[in-house]
Amino acid sequence: MPSDGLRRPPSCSRRGLLALAAVLFSAGTALAQAPAATSAPATISIGCVLPLSGGSASVGNQIKAGTQIAVDQINREGGIKSMGGAKLAVLFGDSQSKADIGVTETERLITRENVAALCGAFNSAVTFPATEVAERYKTPWVVLGAVKDEITERNFKYVFRINNKANYDAREQVDAIDLLAQESGKKPKTIALIYEGSDWGRSHAANIKKFAAECGYAVVLDEAAPPNQVDFSNQLLKVRASRPDVLIVAFYTPDHLILSRQLMDQRLDIPFGVHSVGGGTEDPAFYKAIAPRAVDYYFVQEDFQIDIVEATKDPAILDADKRSKEMLGYGLTAYSAQGLATIYVIRDALERAGSADREKLRDALAATDIAAGPALAAGYQRIKFDAQGQNTFAHGVISENLGGKRRTVWPKDNRLPDTKPVWPVPEWSKRPNS
């Protein structure tokens, strides 16, 4: 693909009207084919491929809200100052959580909408092939939400990921178990795994098994489940038979609702609790649809510090939380915070590049080093990419649902002073309102 810079027509010589006409024709053709000049455009378009309909639509629309809040904030504050106050606009493509549609939308945004950069696409199964398209067209892509390890393990030059990759998520769940065991003096010995059977679930399970073995935990159940189940009785019978100390689960919102309701209905006691890796348990829609007692003492690993509004003084993050309540009916979530952060990372790169030229923007993204501001809305302390485009300072935050409120318990540096983890968790018969 051509660069985003303007192609200059060749200089004209005074050799008669015929030669002049030919040169002007050639120049006009080049101008018609080339992208618009990027030195100081009125608007810089960023493409974002998200699941705005289908099974992950709730998540996709939360991300969309976060990106829109960031764009509004940046434009209100004067746009991209190094580019004469150029404004930002986000153009969306709906993947419907389908890989082929995500690929098609990616190509449309690059070739027809001429976006300077892309972000998305939440689902790893969509992000993996869509980023291949972006790499082929030499268009920067900032990954949003997708954790499949291989996304940033392909020696790509145009793909960057702010959030965790899958093995970070798994490592953190095991590290949190270790920390809580050290603090309490009570350590579990066995782990059961139930997860959705796509790229994300299988990748997470493989990483958990690796880290569990390194830390001396025995995996007593490894069970993949097909998507869109209506009954988890079979899987829960296997959990009951294996008698694990810890249950680690990975499901999107619809499946996680059914699983959690059945766990409550069966009063299945897991001594050291249910540990979810994001997915449904990051989604506010999940908590609106589930009885509060069903998620008491749930441990949730996600790319967001759920109580960050209580910890931060950043006015942009506080304003974003307020705007999120107006737009969605609730404050910042893992998804809206990641949408917000992604646009601010792109803004930072645009300011340093002083251009929306894709090559210059790629180079600026590669040189990113952010240690303050709303780009850290998810709870990170720093964003800096390695040679593969992975933020090596990415980390998740693990919360425990205590008294109807999710509180950060890991990492300890993110834990608020008044938070006291409960470990091990009470049996169902000893819980209030059970």
Side-chain angles (χ1 to χ4, degrees):
M1 290 293 292
S3 75
D4 282 354
L6 178 67
R7 296 180 189 168
R8 300 296 178 190
S11 59
C12 299
S13 61
R14 302 173 184 245
R15 296 182 181 175
L17 292 175
L18 214 57
L20 179 60
V23 170
L24 289 174
F25 177 81
S26 175
T29 301
L31 282 168
Q33 293 175 346
T38 58
S39 58
T43 302
I44 301 166
S45 295
I46 299 165
C48 200
V49 180
L50 296 171
L52 301 176
S53 62
S56 298
S58 174
V59 168
N61 282 285
Q62 289 172 60
I63 296 171
K64 180 180 179 181
T67 65
Q68 291 173 320
I69 290 168
V71 165
D72 290 345
Q73 289 179 337
I74 291 164
N75 289 344
R76 188 172 63 237
E77 293 168 4
I80 306 301
K81 296 176 178 63
S82 70
M83 301 174 65
K87 305 300 184 183
L88 297 183
V90 182
L91 306 180
F92 295 97
D94 182 7
S95 72
Q96 303 174 38
S97 295
K98 299 176 182 177
D100 57 340
I101 295 175
V103 164
T104 300
E105 286 296 276
T106 298
E107 191 154 20
R108 176 183 68 81
L109 288 166
I110 294 172
T111 61
R112 293 169 58 183
E113 303 296 346
N114 194 37
V115 296
L118 289 150
C119 62
F122 176 66
N123 303 101
S124 289
V126 176
T127 306
F128 190 71
T131 48
E132 291 179 352
V133 175
E135 184 75 10
R136 188 165 67 247
Y137 280 100
K138 298 184 177 180
T139 303
W141 180 301
V142 180
V143 172
L144 218 170
V147 298
K148 183 175 181 177
D149 292 325
E150 292 82 0
I151 289 170
T152 51
E153 294 178 355
R154 295 175 288 177
N155 296 314
F156 282 6
K157 299 301 181 186
Y158 295 83
V159 177
F160 303 88
R161 176 162 48 190
I162 302 169
N163 58 272
N164 275 4
K165 53 183 179 179
N167 68 34
Y168 289 14
D169 289 347
R171 173 80 266 178
E172 289 168 7
Q173 286 192 295
V174 175
D175 284 349
I177 292 169
D178 278 347
L179 173 64
L180 294 167
Q182 290 166 12
E183 290 180 332
S184 66
K186 299 176 181 178
K187 183 173 181 176
K189 296 179 180 179
T190 60
I191 294 173
L193 293 168
I194 308 179
Y195 50 93
E196 57 89 37
S198 76
D199 283 353
W200 170 53
R202 291 184 181 281
S203 174
H204 187 70
N207 284 318
I208 286 287
K209 287 186 284 186
K210 172 188 171 184
F211 294 128
E214 291 175 2
C215 296
Y217 300 103
V219 174
V220 294
L221 177 66
D222 176 5
E223 182 79 4
N228 303 315
Q229 288 204 167
V230 296
D231 185 11
F232 280 88
S233 297
N234 184 49
Q235 286 83 6
L236 293 181
L237 279 172
K238 293 179 181 179
V239 172
R240 192 180 294 277
S242 64
R243 299 171 60 92
D245 295 327
V246 171
L247 175 61
I248 294 179
V249 297
F251 290 99
Y252 293 118
T253 303
D255 289 341
H256 215 129
L257 281 169
I258 295 170
L259 174 67
S260 297
R261 287 168 181 152
Q262 291 187 305
L263 274 166
M264 178 181 65
D265 290 344
Q266 294 188 22
R267 297 294 194 269
L268 184 54
D269 286 320
I270 311 293
F272 292 91
V274 177
H275 295 245
S276 171
V277 56
T281 48
E282 290 178 295
D283 186 356
F286 171 84
Y287 295 97
K288 286 187 174 182
I290 196 82
R293 65 184 184 278
V295 291
D296 280 346
Y297 310 106
Y298 251 53
F299 294 91
V300 178
Q301 188 281 340
E302 58 187 313
D303 283 293
F304 178 58
Q305 182 175 342
I306 191 65
D307 45 13
I308 196 168
V309 173
E310 297 178 44
T312 188
K313 295 181 180 179
D314 189 302
I317 296 175
L318 295 173
D319 175 68
D321 186 66
K322 178 183 176 183
R323 287 284 313 283
S324 178
K325 290 174 182 175
E326 294 168 357
M327 295 172 69
L328 300 171
Y330 42 78
L332 282 175
T333 67
Y335 306 121
S336 56
Q338 288 179 61
L340 183 87
T342 297
I343 298 301
Y344 271 100
V345 168
I346 295 172
R347 190 278 299 263
D348 174 75
L350 285 166
E351 287 284 13
R352 288 182 289 106
S355 170
D357 176 86
R358 291 171 181 167
E359 287 297 325
K360 292 178 181 177
L361 187 51
R362 188 225 79 88
D363 291 346
L365 281 165
T368 293
D369 192 352
I370 299 172
L376 305 180
Y380 311 139
Q381 283 68 45
R382 191 176 180 186
I383 296 173
K384 185 177 174 66
F385 300 115
D386 64 15
Q388 295 271 20
Q390 175 65 43
N391 175 23
T392 56
F393 291 88
H395 67 78
V397 178
I398 294 176
S399 63
E400 184 178 12
N401 198 319
L402 300 170
K405 189 172 183 179
R406 295 173 58 207
R407 309 291 296 181
T408 296
V409 297
W410 185 97
K412 202 166 184 177
D413 287 347
N414 289 61
R415 188 189 294 177
L416 298 182
D418 63 345
T419 298
K420 307 296 180 187
V422 174
W423 183 267
V425 305
E427 296 176 359
W428 278 101
S429 61
K430 296 178 181 179
R431 297 182 187 184
N433 304 315
S434 288

